[in-house]
Amino acid sequence: MLSFINKHSAPLLMVAGIIGFIFPNVSKTVFPALPFILFFLMLFTLLGIKQEQLIKQLMRSSVWGYACLHSIGLTIIVASILWLLNAPTSLFIAVTAVTATGTLFATPAIAKTLGYDVLHAMALTIASTLMMPLVLFINLTLLQDDAVKLDLVEYIQRLVIFIIGPMAISSICYNTINREKLVYIHGQLSKFTVLLIFAFPLGLVSPLREMFNRSFNDGLYYLMLGMLLCVVFFTVTFLCYRYNKANATLFAITATNRNVLLTYTIASSYLGTEYLALMAAIQIPTYALPVIVKARARLKPSPNIEHKKAE
């Protein structure tokens, strides 16, 4: 069963989002457990990474160049489109909050299920997360009449719990546990890691269903907007890194996976109901993209990039 789930994880993740939409009560039940699931997901993923290598990867200029594109570049592109369309301020706030948002913490585990470099994906995730408060603050300040104050205490707590804590535990394990035993433990845990990922599309999609229940047209509008944003994120990032097709696909998937819950946690009072609807609306298209990537890979086989070094 586990081997089947791992093999077909991409379509099953999309199915999880659809199930959450069809059964919103199930989605609401899973939602409170997401922080706990995320901690173990990050821990299990980081146990397979030497922290010294991760820190070296974070020192690469290419990683921070990606982080700038992920937050600043995509904000400018999407904001320009909204300006040309004369979009209302409330929509500006919701959309630019999404563009400022860092990569979903579950992205390295998702990258692993697709055969991409977990170490590189983790570095991109951390870098974009560290960029998020600055870009979010600037975006909100430009769009709000009142002074903006983010909940940085909550943000730092999340960094400690979901990034620094698992990194520290992983480092301790690498220095205290026999290497062969640690590899075996991680191998056993990795079989269950994909099960944890299913909680995110399942647990975050209920606000979209609530929007459909209130107004079918409004729900369809936000779903289409979420799909459009995901296409823009993926396409722009892929084109920017098209000189390296392996990295281009990884970067594009990473740019599409957004930690929208963290953004809402630290700035909920400024984001409005539009952001909640958009936060849910991007879940299904976000998890549909890996399905498309896998399908394309089957039609046009590409070389193994699991151990390919980032350029």
Side-chain angles (χ1 to χ4, degrees):
M1 177 62 80
L2 284 176
S3 60
F4 175 84
I5 292 174
N6 277 274
K7 183 179 180 180
H8 301 283
S9 58
L12 289 175
L13 283 168
M14 183 177 66
V15 170
I18 295 172
I19 291 173
F21 177 81
I22 297 173
F23 303 103
N25 288 336
V26 174
S27 180
K28 291 177 182 178
T29 300
V30 173
F31 180 80
L34 290 181
F36 303 98
I37 295 171
L38 182 57
F39 172 80
F40 287 104
L41 179 62
M42 289 293 286
L43 178 60
F44 294 167
T45 304
L46 282 164
L47 279 176
I49 299 174
K50 289 184 179 180
Q51 300 312 294
E52 295 84 354
Q53 293 179 350
L54 178 56
I55 293 172
K56 287 180 181 178
Q57 191 74 262
L58 281 168
M59 300 299 291
R60 297 174 67 94
S61 59
S62 61
V63 169
W64 290 99
Y66 163 80
C68 289
L69 172 64
H70 178 103
S71 298
I72 302 172
L74 290 174
T75 291
I76 293 172
I77 291 171
V78 173
S80 298
I81 296 172
L82 291 175
W83 180 75
L84 290 172
L85 295 175
N86 197 28
T89 301
S90 59
L91 187 60
F92 255 101
I93 292 173
V95 172
T96 57
V98 173
T99 59
T101 297
T103 300
L104 182 68
F105 289 159
T107 298
I110 295 171
K112 184 177 180 179
T113 66
L114 296 172
Y116 292 101
D117 185 356
V118 178
L119 175 64
H120 199 184
M122 184 64 77
L124 298 176
T125 298
I126 294 173
S128 63
T129 300
L130 293 175
M131 286 281 293
M132 184 268 282
L134 176 61
V135 180
L136 179 63
F137 178 79
I138 293 172
N139 291 354
L140 290 176
T141 299
L142 293 175
L143 294 169
Q144 295 276 352
D145 294 329
D146 300 326
V148 173
K149 184 178 180 181
L150 303 181
D151 190 347
L152 294 181
V153 173
E154 181 70 23
Y155 170 76
I156 293 171
Q157 287 177 347
R158 298 257 171 166
L159 284 185
V160 171
I161 294 171
F162 299 121
I163 294 180
I164 298 174
M167 285 179 67
I169 294 172
S170 175
S171 180
I172 292 170
C173 290
Y174 264 94
N175 289 306
T176 58
I177 300 176
N178 177 273
R179 189 59 49 84
E180 292 183 0
K181 184 178 291 186
L182 184 61
V183 170
Y184 172 78
I185 292 171
H186 178 258
Q188 295 301 307
L189 290 175
S190 64
K191 296 177 182 178
F192 298 92
T193 300
V194 69
L195 297 178
L196 301 179
I197 305 175
F198 288 121
F200 294 92
L202 180 63
L204 289 173
V205 78
S206 63
L208 178 63
R209 175 57 187 271
E210 292 174 355
M211 180 66 73
F212 268 95
N213 289 343
R214 289 194 295 270
S215 169
F216 179 84
N217 288 336
D218 287 349
L220 186 61
Y221 168 79
Y222 279 101
L223 179 59
M224 296 299 294
L225 179 59
M227 293 173 63
L228 181 60
L229 280 178
C230 288
V231 169
V232 170
F233 294 161
F234 188 94
T235 303
V236 170
T237 308
F238 185 88
L239 291 176
C240 287
Y241 291 95
R242 64 187 181 279
Y243 60 86
N244 184 322
K245 289 187 177 180
N247 278 344
T249 305
L250 173 61
F251 281 37
I253 292 172
T254 306
T256 307
N257 292 349
R258 299 268 162 167
N259 195 355
V260 286
L261 184 58
L262 176 60
T263 298
Y264 184 74
T265 300
I266 70 170
S268 57
S269 60
Y270 303 103
L271 300 180
T273 56
E274 290 89 347
Y275 180 82
L276 273 175
L278 193 55
M279 177 178 80
I282 66 173
Q283 297 306 311
I284 294 176
T286 291
Y287 291 98
L289 282 173
V291 177
I292 298 171
V293 169
K294 275 205 164 186
R296 184 176 179 275
R298 291 193 192 98
L299 293 174
K300 186 177 180 180
S302 57
N304 186 353
I305 58 173
E306 172 66 24
H307 301 293
K308 185 177 180 67
K309 297 294 184 181
E311 293 189 359

